[in-house]
Amino acid sequence: MKLKNIFIVFAIALVSACESNEVTIVDADNLLLGNWVSPVYDEYTTTFTRNNTLLEKEAGITFKQNGSLIQRTSGFCGTPPLTYFNVEGSFTLNNDIIIMNSSQNSSYFYGWKIMELTNEKLVLQREFSEQEKEHQALMDLFYEISDIVYSQTCSDVNNWSFVAYGAKACGGPKGYLPYHKSIDVASFLEKVATYTQAEKEFNVKWSITSDCAVVNPPKGVDCQFEYPILMY
């Protein structure tokens, strides 16, 4: 009899443990809400598993009923040991597109497309916003300018000059770039001016913020290992 009673107590405890580990569905009408952890990444998508809480040493995301969210992340650092921290923000759901905004940069929005959503699984695909597409176009132009700058080796500082480029949201240039006088200078300066104007318009359109520190012009260009270096 005692052995039977012990078995019954063990069975009850086992059932209770299973019930306590059961993942709770926050809202059956909105399966997105809740905690999503254990991301699995492939080339285009990220797959999350539902959990009752975010995990301490793992990336994850929480979608709340009030439209706020918590992202658990290690930031851009990928070198072990990773340190995870929470970043708060907000989100809106437009059909199958999640538009998210981080409190660390209130002017920056990014999107994810829901590819699959069940009680247990959430599969997301990165959806680039209009802002991100415009920013990428800016970067493409900047890379083109940089390629021109560093296509020339530096051996005589007298053959080099520099120009201000870009636009801080608070005003003034973002920095300065050296250039060799043997290139098509007029075309190069036109590209720089185009980039600067485009960045000004981007800052206004997307309410970008920046520091207001003044970037002083360099004193000149120096050649180091055949590479142009701005001297301040």
Side-chain angles (χ1 to χ4, degrees):
M1 182 64 70
K2 290 183 178 180
L3 183 60
K4 182 179 180 180
N5 289 340
I6 293 174
F7 176 77
I8 293 173
V9 171
F10 175 77
I12 293 173
L14 182 62
V15 171
S16 298
C18 291
E19 289 178 348
S20 64
N21 291 330
E22 184 178 346
V23 177
T24 302
I25 305 298
V26 176
D27 186 345
D29 294 325
N30 186 355
L31 292 178
L32 180 65
L33 301 179
N35 303 291
W36 298 95
V37 300
S38 303
V40 177
Y41 307 96
D42 66 19
E43 186 175 2
Y44 299 107
T45 62
T46 304
T47 301
F48 294 88
T49 302
R50 188 187 296 277
N51 200 46
N52 286 329
T53 61
L54 292 178
L55 303 179
E56 182 179 355
K57 297 181 179 180
E58 198 172 281
I61 186 167
T62 300
F63 296 100
K64 298 185 177 182
Q65 288 177 315
N66 63 1
S68 64
L69 64 82
I70 298 174
Q71 285 184 284
R72 187 144 186 83
T73 177
S74 61
F76 294 105
C77 179
T79 305
L82 299 180
T83 300
Y84 289 90
F85 55 92
N86 291 340
V87 176
E88 297 183 351
S90 61
F91 76 96
T92 56
L93 184 60
N94 184 10
N95 295 322
D96 59 351
I97 303 296
I98 309 170
I99 304 298
M100 293 188 274
N101 171 234
S102 168
S103 60
Q104 292 186 338
N105 187 349
S106 59
S107 61
Y108 181 68
F109 293 82
Y110 55 100
W112 291 90
K113 183 175 182 179
I114 300 175
M115 306 302 293
E116 183 179 351
L117 177 57
T118 68
N119 289 345
E120 297 84 20
K121 183 168 66 173
L122 171 63
V123 182
L124 299 177
Q125 179 175 290
R126 193 72 167 82
E127 188 79 4
F128 291 100
S129 65
E130 181 183 356
Q131 180 182 357
E132 288 176 305
K133 291 175 182 177
E134 290 184 11
H135 184 263
Q136 185 59 54
L138 269 177
M139 291 299 94
D140 289 344
L141 180 55
F142 181 76
Y143 296 146
E144 184 180 339
I145 292 169
S146 296
D147 286 343
I148 296 173
V149 168
Y150 299 111
S151 65
Q152 305 293 320
T153 58
C154 186
S155 58
D156 185 350
V157 296
N158 294 315
N159 292 329
W160 289 81
S161 188
F162 57 85
V163 62
Y165 79 93
K168 282 190 170 187
C170 197
K174 181 179 288 183
Y176 291 83
L177 286 171
Y179 65 90
H180 198 278
K181 296 176 183 178
S182 67
I183 65 172
D184 186 341
V185 174
S187 175
F188 173 75
L189 295 180
E190 184 178 354
K191 284 182 184 294
V192 174
T194 299
Y195 172 84
T196 299
Q197 182 59 36
E199 188 165 41
K200 286 180 181 178
E201 294 173 359
F202 179 87
N203 292 341
V204 172
K205 180 176 181 178
W206 300 108
S207 301
I208 303 299
T209 59
S210 73
D211 64 75
C212 295
V214 176
V215 181
N216 293 317
K219 296 178 181 179
V221 181
D222 189 25
C223 294
Q224 297 182 13
F225 304 102
E226 298 187 337
Y227 194 80
I229 303 295
L230 294 174
M231 305 300 293
Y232 290 91

